[in-house]
Amino acid sequence: MSDKNKRRLDRQFDMIERMAPPARRVLEFLRRPGVRLIRIPLGFVLVLGGIFSFLPVLGIWMLPLGLLLLAIDLPFLRPPVTWSIVQARRRWSTWRRSRRRKP
């Protein structure tokens, strides 16, 4: 079961790298197994920054990114995080399609 969730999470990271080419090098670096000591604290900092998104500079964008980084090392986070990413992508594409149809 965990292997399936890991593959699904890897597919989501690959999709993010394709959608945001400037972030590709950073994400490839952070996904390496030896970078765990950087990835976990960074994930927690991003989640905390997302919680305090009402402050300047911090934003809600930090929350999903922090959860993604934490899901690499915490297997219990993989299913809900990947499910959320897939659902958000579906809603985003549906919204974009509906906006294109309107003149």
Side-chain angles (χ1 to χ4, degrees):
M1 186 71 141
S2 177
D3 190 37
K4 175 185 167 188
N5 291 327
K6 177 134 178 59
R7 286 193 314 266
R8 191 174 185 194
L9 182 67
D10 287 338
R11 283 193 308 265
Q12 299 310 311
F13 267 109
D14 293 340
M15 180 273 313
I16 291 169
E17 289 174 358
R18 283 192 307 272
M19 289 178 64
R24 179 181 208 120
R25 297 181 102 192
V26 174
L27 288 175
E28 285 176 351
F29 172 74
L30 289 173
R31 289 174 64 189
R32 287 192 221 159
V35 188
R36 185 177 188 165
L37 292 175
I38 296 172
R39 187 173 48 234
I40 292 175
L42 180 62
F44 280 117
V45 167
L46 287 170
V47 168
L48 284 174
I51 291 171
F52 295 111
S53 62
F54 58 88
L55 297 172
V57 179
L58 304 177
I60 197 71
W61 62 270
M62 298 172 89
L63 187 62
L65 185 58
L67 289 172
L68 268 171
L69 291 177
L70 289 174
I72 294 171
D73 296 311
L74 304 174
F76 67 90
L77 280 179
R78 289 178 190 153
V81 168
T82 54
W83 181 84
S84 299
I85 294 169
V86 170
Q87 291 301 316
R89 284 182 44 214
R90 286 179 184 162
R91 288 183 182 154
W92 177 255
S93 64
T94 302
W95 181 80
R96 287 188 61 190
R97 270 187 265 126
S98 70
R99 300 296 295 167
R100 280 189 220 144
R101 291 185 201 140
K102 295 179 182 178

